[in-house]
Amino acid sequence: MTRTRRVVVTTATVLAVGMVLGAGAPAAQADRSHPRDVHPHLRSNLVAFYDFDHPVEGDPALERDQGRSGTEIELVNGGAAMRVADRAYPGSGKALQTRQVNPTENGNDDWKAGTWSASGVRNLRPFAGTQGTTVMGWFKLDMDGPALNSTTANPTDRFNAIGLAGILTGDSDGHGVRALLELIDVNGELRLVALGRRLDGGNSQTFAASEDWRTLLPKGRWVHLAATFDFNTGALALYRNGKPLDGFYTRTDDPWRVSGPGPHVTTASDPRGIKIGGSFPQNTLERNPCDCRMDALMFLDSVVSASDVEKQYRYMAR
């Protein structure tokens, strides 16, 4: 099935489900408001949730959303092979495998996941004009630093970041984000960060963890991460295994323009999609690939409190 055809099928599926809810809708869709692995305190704000145990019937290269939006994502380039047997937490099933495929070739074959639409993804509208967002999930890295840069002729050039998971802006080319968890070069040193942008076309703010990234994400070990974005106040936060991380902002000015009267919200445009394990989910360019596994990726339209982040971690790790 072509990528264009997949977009059409995804949209049609969402519309059809909406029309028949209460009249024979699939049980998986009916249960989206109460996903098993999500703490009850978080369910009302859970826009999208991917556990990689729910392939779309007839097209296993698509993953069903267990959140309320019903936003299917594509497992780009690897398809069903990207679902691997690996338990991130007790009770989990398959995990998502992302990776760089050909580091010396300027192509579009990296394994990553997500969705993208030039007109915006309507199902992700809760992230338009919102005061807060949270991105969280389980991650296991299998790399010692950013991957070789496959887009340049220099055989030793490397990307400056490792992409984890995030929500795109309403004007994104597949790279620019509203809310993102990633590892990126900060003043010459790779750090775990929460990177956000309140306004389309505006400046980003970054909150970087102080602790060494190799300690926070030891190679080959599952770790639960969360990032919160308070677009009203300009505050960001990072959490590891339910506990807040010490860190610092990379800018001391007002990149989100929140110093004036509020409330302050994100641009009222539908995000152009979600990116997971690297940029450009429409598969037009390779950037910041992640040789890693991920599970239970959650995207919420609120700033989850520190106590609820810890509850969610303990709820899954119990």
Side-chain angles (χ1 to χ4, degrees):
M1 182 182 291
T2 65
R3 184 172 191 85
T4 302
R5 177 61 180 157
R6 279 195 179 123
V7 172
V8 172
V9 170
T10 299
T11 303
T13 300
V14 171
L15 291 174
V17 169
M19 292 173 63
V20 300
L21 277 177
Q29 299 291 337
D31 292 339
R32 285 209 313 254
S33 62
H34 295 90
R36 180 195 63 186
D37 293 329
V38 180
H39 192 280
H41 285 195
L42 276 61
R43 289 173 183 167
S44 63
N45 293 108
L46 186 67
V47 178
F49 174 42
Y50 306 101
D51 60 9
F52 306 103
D53 297 325
H54 294 85
V56 170
E57 186 176 356
D59 191 348
L62 295 177
E63 176 73 15
R64 291 208 311 266
D65 178 10
Q66 302 305 296
R68 73 175 190 266
S69 77
T71 306
E72 295 168 359
I73 57 172
E74 183 175 356
L75 310 189
V76 180
N77 291 315
M82 295 170 64
R83 293 186 187 88
V84 295
D86 196 352
R87 294 168 65 86
Y89 56 94
S92 69
K94 297 289 182 67
L96 173 72
Q97 173 75 60
T98 61
R99 64 185 179 92
Q100 186 178 50
V101 176
N102 290 305
T104 61
E105 295 184 13
N106 187 0
N108 289 307
D109 51 12
D110 286 351
W111 286 14
K112 53 192 172 184
T115 186
W116 187 85
S117 171
S119 59
V121 178
R122 185 174 181 180
N123 290 13
L124 298 177
R125 187 162 292 175
F127 297 113
T130 184
Q131 292 188 40
T133 294
T134 298
V135 178
M136 69 171 72
W138 291 86
F139 302 88
K140 182 167 78 169
L141 267 65
D142 189 24
M143 52 199 312
D144 298 312
L148 288 170
N149 191 336
S150 58
T151 67
T152 68
N154 184 345
T156 63
D157 187 27
R158 292 185 177 272
F159 292 106
N160 75 332
I162 301 171
L164 297 179
I167 302 163
L168 302 177
T169 60
D171 60 354
S172 178
D173 61 353
H175 181 66
V177 291
R178 277 193 187 147
L180 174 69
L181 260 172
E182 74 171 347
L183 295 148
I184 193 170
D185 185 300
V186 177
N187 300 324
E189 186 174 353
L190 197 69
R191 293 188 182 274
L192 174 67
V193 306
L195 187 154
R197 181 177 285 103
R198 184 174 76 85
L199 302 173
D200 288 356
N203 294 318
S204 64
Q205 175 64 291
T206 302
F207 181 78
S210 300
E211 196 167 354
D212 190 292
W213 73 274
R214 288 158 293 201
T215 303
L216 297 174
L217 284 160
K219 190 174 179 179
R221 286 179 53 188
W222 281 107
V223 175
H224 186 263
L225 298 176
T228 61
F229 305 80
D230 190 329
F231 296 109
N232 185 41
T233 67
L236 296 93
L238 284 167
Y239 300 84
R240 178 187 185 272
N241 289 347
K243 300 297 184 183
L245 293 174
D246 291 332
F248 58 92
Y249 293 95
T250 61
R251 296 183 59 153
T252 57
D253 57 349
D254 184 23
W256 285 359
R257 296 170 57 185
V258 296
S259 59
H264 304 287
V265 298
T266 58
T267 300
S269 59
D270 295 341
R272 284 191 172 178
I274 290 172
K275 66 176 185 177
I276 298 167
S279 293
F280 302 100
Q282 70 270 44
N283 209 27
T284 56
L285 189 66
E286 295 177 345
R287 189 175 299 177
N288 305 337
C290 183
D291 289 354
C292 55
R293 293 181 176 182
M294 309 181 194
D295 200 2
L297 299 182
M298 301 182 185
F299 302 88
L300 302 100
D301 61 348
S302 68
V303 177
V304 175
S305 69
S307 63
D308 279 348
V309 170
E310 183 172 17
K311 287 174 183 175
Q312 176 59 43
Y313 167 69
R314 294 189 179 282
Y315 190 74
M316 299 178 110
R318 66 192 188 280

